[in-house]
Amino acid sequence: MNATWQSHLGANGAKFSDNSVKFNDDERQDVTLAAQGTVLVPLVHLGAIRATGEDASVFLHNLFSNDVKKLGPNEAQLTSFNTAKGRMLASIILWREAGDYLLTLSADIHAATLKKLSMFVLRSKVRLMDDSGDSVLIGLAGPQAGAALEAAGLHIPGAPRATASGLATVVRLDGARFLVSAPISEAVGLWDGAAPAGTAAWSWLDICQGLPTVTLPVQEEFVAQMLNFDLIGGVSFNKGCYPGQEIVARTHYLGKLKKRMFRVHTDATELPATGTDVYSPEFGEQSAGKVVIAAPAPEGGFDALVVLQTSSAESTEVHLGTPDGAP
């Protein structure tokens, strides 16, 4: 994280821990702010990679699950980087910024993913750089998010997964939620536009929208369809080859998908950790799925995205952690 930005956040009450930030000792308060109004969230749980050079488009197109060549200058897309066996190494939000491409992904896999992508460069005229030191990522969400952007002199994209450039780049994720990539000077200018909230608030908003993030505990656990990437615009089935394409395509055209991602609620006493197994009676002591992301729910308990056997999802009994764990 940029030291100047971290210092600014700390001076405004932020507390940091393991690629996360909070502004209240009880993270549920941060989530409640997001549920009730407009919030500004420092997206310290995400990292950024910049791809530049005349071959950047082709290079990324040949590695990712979505059609990078069709990505317009004012568009963003959801995509994935997979193993040869079709298992997801990273979920990525990708957009164009002038002649470059910006990728955002989980901070805990950022450095390793940059290194792995760099291994494919070879003679391609492309350069991959860690962009986290030169810019910061901010989330704005809520009914007054657009007004906060305008007050900071930033443009508002008109549609989901559209972008607008200017003093900073604004990516519209959904109806009233925006991702901003900004220089430090512009990031500070956004501060007065909304109530600050922590990482848990953004995670809860992701859960509400069914938008998963692949983090280290669940790397190589899922093919794209298990995380519903085929349903939320993260896969192109017409673009040609990329690592894992054969498995993803076979699952789409020939296979019967046994697992999907579902939004769930539990009244467990502790936040379910990413990667925690879930169980159902029909599978006994064998795991029926895993937690992808979880966050405190505003009114108690926890909301989560869980990849689960579809047959188990149709039953009335699914348990967290153990076969007789919290329902």
Side-chain angles (χ1 to χ4, degrees), residues 210-236:
L211 183 63
T213 298
V214 172
T215 56
L216 187 60
V218 291
Q219 267 194 317
E220 300 189 44
E221 288 284 349
F222 312 119
V223 297
Q225 288 97 325
M226 291 180 188
L227 290 180
N228 297 348
F229 262 47
D230 57 325
L231 305 180
I232 58 177
V235 181
S236 168

Side-chain angles (χ1 to χ4, degrees), residues 173-185:
L173 298 178
D174 43 63
R177 200 158 63 119
F178 303 88
L179 186 156
V180 181
S181 175
I184 292 293
S185 57

Side-chain angles (χ1 to χ4, degrees), residues 205-212 227-228 232 261 263 305:
L205 291 168
D206 276 344
I207 292 166
C208 291
Q209 293 295 326
L211 183 63
L227 290 180
N228 297 348
I232 58 177
M261 188 177 69
R263 188 173 63 203
L305 296 177

Side-chain angles (χ1 to χ4, degrees), residues 66 71-72 74-79 93-95 157-164 170-175 177 209-212 228-229 231-235:
N66 217 334
L71 184 63
N74 297 307
E75 296 176 345
Q77 67 180 204
L78 186 65
T79 190
I93 298 174
L94 172 70
W95 67 89
R161 297 195 190 157
T163 68
V170 181
V171 180
R172 191 174 202 137
L173 298 178
D174 43 63
R177 200 158 63 119
Q209 293 295 326
L211 183 63
N228 297 348
F229 262 47
L231 305 180
I232 58 177
V235 181

Side-chain angles (χ1 to χ4, degrees), residues 280-284 309-313 315:
S280 66
E282 65 179 310
F283 286 91
Q309 293 278 351
T310 54
S311 58
S312 297
S315 73

Side-chain angles (χ1 to χ4, degrees), residues 30-113:
D30 284 342
V31 174
T32 300
L33 286 172
Q36 295 178 347
T38 301
V39 293
L40 179 149
V41 181
L43 302 181
V44 300
H45 66 294
L46 300 178
I49 296 172
R50 182 177 295 270
T52 185
E54 60 183 271
D55 291 342
S57 174
V58 174
F59 175 80
L60 298 175
H61 180 84
N62 291 338
L63 289 177
F64 293 166
S65 63
N66 217 334
D67 195 329
V68 180
K69 291 182 180 178
K70 291 185 178 180
L71 184 63
N74 297 307
E75 296 176 345
Q77 67 180 204
L78 186 65
T79 190
S80 65
F81 179 41
N82 308 307
T83 68
K85 294 182 178 180
R87 299 284 167 159
M88 288 180 62
L89 289 165
S91 55
I92 296 166
I93 298 174
L94 172 70
W95 67 89
R96 291 172 63 178
E97 195 170 276
D100 298 344
Y101 290 81
L102 266 291
L103 298 66
T104 62
L105 64 160
S106 179
D108 68 343
I109 60 172
H110 172 265
T113 302

